[in-house]
Amino acid sequence: MRIDVKEAAEFLRENNDYLILMHASPDGDTLGCGTALCGALQRLGKNAKAVCPDEIPHKFDYLFNACTEQDFEPKTVVCVDVADTKLLGDMKEVGDTAKLCIDHHVSNIDYAERTLLEAESAAACEIVFDIINELGVRFDAALASSIYTGVATDTGCFKFSNTTPRTHKIAAEMIELGADFVNINYEMFDMKTPGRIELEQAAMKTIRYSANGHIAVIYAPFSMINSIEGIDSDDIGALASMPRKIQGVDIGICVKEKKKGEYKASIRTSQRIDCSKIAQKFGGGGHERSSGCSFYEGTIEEAADRVVAESEEALRKAGII
Amino acid sequence: MRIDVKEAAEFLRENNDYLILMHASPDGDTLGCGTALCGALQRLGKNAKAVCPDEIPHKFDYLFNACTEQDFEPKTVVCVDVADTKLLGDMKEVGDTAKLCIDHHVSNIDYAERTLLEAESAAACEIVFDIINELGVRFDAALASSIYTGVATDTGCFKFSNTTPRTHKIAAEMIELGADFVNINYEMFDMKTPGRIELEQAAMKTIRYSANGHIAVIYAPFSMINSIEGIDSDDIGALASMPRKIQGVDIGICVKEKKKGEYKASIRTSQRIDCSKIAQKFGGGGHERSSGCSFYEGTIEEAADRVVAESEEALRKAGII
């Protein structure tokens, strides 16, 4: 059943003992939603806890200032920013009993009893912001920092095309109410570990261009990833966006070998190319500007060559080459 | 004489034939102000042109969609985002005849007949936004893109501590009115030339840490800058912020040798250290988190060593080491 913000707030007011589930490989939006909603419910005198199937990177520790740890028997499962219970890892079965899901993914499979879906929201935190207002809970600095984190991270700090006037208006209000935005933005967008810098440099050294500079490819083979200390999956994931940032590049490709012999190609494109179609040719998928696909045979160069060939075809179809 | 927005608008309505001066080494804020104000005055039927003493980098070309080129004899000089006529290069003398200055630098020397100064504005474009509203000119997409560019660039895309709720509210309104924010942000913040990437890699290879990783220094000697093709002063300038982005670094230093034997140290600090005080020891200056100073003798390493020694002293005083 699809419901609106008023109905979601009503449901949350009527029930108690909330278990709020955040998706695996957690990002700032799911964690911002979970901690803000948990904190808001606690301020209403409810029992609530926000949990994630995966370990939460330390850079997000501050989000848990928004809520306190409570010991109680959960009764009501709520999922935030979770389009499909497959994204809940070990907690999939708990997610299948969800009474409420709050989400902004158009791909949401309606697994919960009630779903509040606003696909035009840049971040699920925008919806949680509305719910907290509807619940009549006043924002303090900690709640504001959680909501700010979700809207900032899901929009690449207000850069991506999903950013709307409403995103900025919510950011304005959260800053007004004390969101610690300077430190949040430094931690989320600017800070890099020495390992991350070493990895970026090693990967960028592998760059090769094709189609007159419209395509750029970088590699991160197993040997490279394995030889650099102190890097995590976030660091490896961040390589994906690097080649597309080079002037003149319409299609940026990064091929990573996280496990020996298993390659993942990440594709990023300019507004002139829909890269989900390129990924689909290899059984992958994603969004128009950001997609990915996997390869389980051959060498890392061969995997890259196949994606490059398909990318050249896409450039030809678009009349760019 | 200090004036307010109403008085500035009144002055602009009463006069004509405007020459709007933007500062040398132009940035998004001065260019956003100049083109938006020029376009708004033209929409009121006035003659106006916006000029800059230096060549304007091509990435800013789109800003000139906000105004049209006009041929007329200028009578009224207006400076935007220009704190001191020294910043006008060859046009200093023209600037000295300014009837109006619109600025947000607290260091403004009040050289103009009338000065509209709002130091709490993150960007001078925030003030021009108010003036355009006061003039009753409706924003179209081109004017909105100019204003958006100023507020986005002067806040590092809403990351820096000068960002206020008002900054976000203006961004919201500009997006609503058609600012081409996705392309603007890509060009301003994400896109890098191959030369820029090569320079960044070469400079980052020189990194050395001191004070237990609280200080990081990189170099860009003349030989490095001279050996890389297709880089400009923007690319060299951008090196300044790199070392401070490394996890654990409180003081990031970049020493550049743009001219043989002439070194400029750029210092960036965390919220725990006021780097303007470090720069002042060497006759430089700047802001609390971003400052610089110059050296005209010795080697680049010696220049760096002097800044590092002073930085260690600052860390000691702050109780960090």
Side-chain angles (χ1 to χ4, degrees), chain A residues 192 201 204 245 247, chain B residues 186 192 201 204 245 247:
Chain A
K192 293 178 178 184
Q201 292 198 339
M204 286 302 283
K245 291 181 180 172
Q247 191 174 39
Chain B
Y186 175 69
K192 294 178 178 184
Q201 293 199 340
M204 285 302 282
K245 291 182 180 171
Q247 190 175 40

Side-chain angles (χ1 to χ4, degrees), chain A residues 159-161 163 165 168 172 175 181-183 186 190-193 197 201 204 244-247 271, chain B residues 159-161 163 165 168 172 175 181-183 186 190-193 197 201 204 244-247 271:
Chain A
K159 277 186 206 162
F160 301 158
S161 55
T163 310
H168 277 289
I175 291 176
F181 72 98
V182 176
N183 287 315
Y186 174 69
D190 284 344
M191 195 190 68
K192 293 178 178 184
T193 60
I197 291 167
Q201 292 198 339
M204 286 302 283
R244 164 52 194 133
K245 291 181 180 172
I246 301 163
Q247 191 174 39
Q271 294 189 303
Chain B
K159 276 186 207 161
F160 302 158
S161 55
T163 310
H168 277 289
I175 290 177
F181 72 98
V182 175
N183 286 317
Y186 175 69
D190 284 345
M191 196 191 67
K192 294 178 178 184
T193 59
I197 291 167
Q201 293 199 340
M204 285 302 282
R244 164 54 194 132
K245 291 182 180 171
I246 301 163
Q247 190 175 40
Q271 293 189 303

Side-chain angles (χ1 to χ4, degrees), chain B residues 57-270:
Chain B
H58 283 300
K59 67 174 181 178
F60 292 117
D61 283 351
Y62 70 91
L63 291 172
F64 291 83
N65 295 333
C67 48
T68 52
E69 251 189 85
Q70 292 184 324
D71 188 27
F72 64 95
E73 194 56 47
K75 278 193 208 124
T76 319
V77 173
V78 178
C79 296
V80 286
D81 196 40
V82 179
D84 187 323
T85 51
K86 275 195 246 168
L87 304 168
L88 285 169
D90 290 349
M91 293 180 178
K92 184 189 177 310
E93 283 177 27
V94 188
D96 285 332
T97 69
K99 302 283 183 210
L100 172 64
C101 168
I102 301 163
D103 191 19
H104 68 134
H105 294 95
V106 72
S107 55
N108 190 291
I109 61 161
D110 281 297
Y111 58 88
E113 266 185 29
R114 293 158 197 79
T115 301
L116 168 54
L117 188 107
E118 289 186 0
E120 67 287 359
S121 292
C125 268
E126 294 189 6
I127 315 170
V128 172
F129 167 83
D130 282 344
I131 292 174
I132 293 176
N133 279 324
E134 187 65 37
L135 287 171
V137 175
R138 276 187 62 177
F139 281 91
D140 57 17
L143 285 181
S145 288
S146 282
I147 296 293
Y148 181 91
T149 299
V151 300
T153 54
D154 254 25
T155 58
C157 211
F158 312 99
K159 276 186 207 161
F160 302 158
S161 55
N162 60 349
T163 310
T164 67
R166 180 170 169 246
T167 315
H168 277 289
K169 283 175 199 158
I170 293 173
E173 199 171 329
M174 296 301 94
I175 290 177
E176 207 136 36
L177 294 167
D180 186 21
F181 72 98
V182 175
N183 286 317
I184 292 172
N185 290 331
Y186 175 69
E187 293 258 347
M188 298 297 139
F189 302 109
D190 284 345
M191 196 191 67
K192 294 178 178 184
T193 59
R196 164 89 153 250
I197 291 167
E198 200 184 330
L199 176 67
E200 286 185 358
Q201 293 199 340
M204 285 302 282
K205 258 190 224 147
T206 69
I207 199 157
R208 80 187 157 82
Y209 296 95
S210 53
N212 257 332
H214 290 290
I215 299 174
V217 190
I218 61 172
Y219 304 100
F222 189 74
S223 58
M224 180 194 294
I225 291 172
N226 226 25
S227 70
I228 299 171
E229 267 175 54
I231 53 172
D232 60 20
S233 59
D234 247 29
D235 298 323
I236 300 165
L239 296 176
S241 62
M242 296 185 69
R244 164 54 194 132
K245 291 182 180 171
I246 301 163
Q247 190 175 40
V249 171
D250 282 292
I251 305 180
I253 301 161
C254 171
V255 190
K256 294 163 287 193
E257 184 184 22
K258 283 196 202 179
K259 284 184 199 165
K260 197 91 185 128
E262 204 178 305
Y263 313 110
K264 178 159 186 223
S266 301
I267 314 170
R268 299 288 182 273
T269 48
S270 70

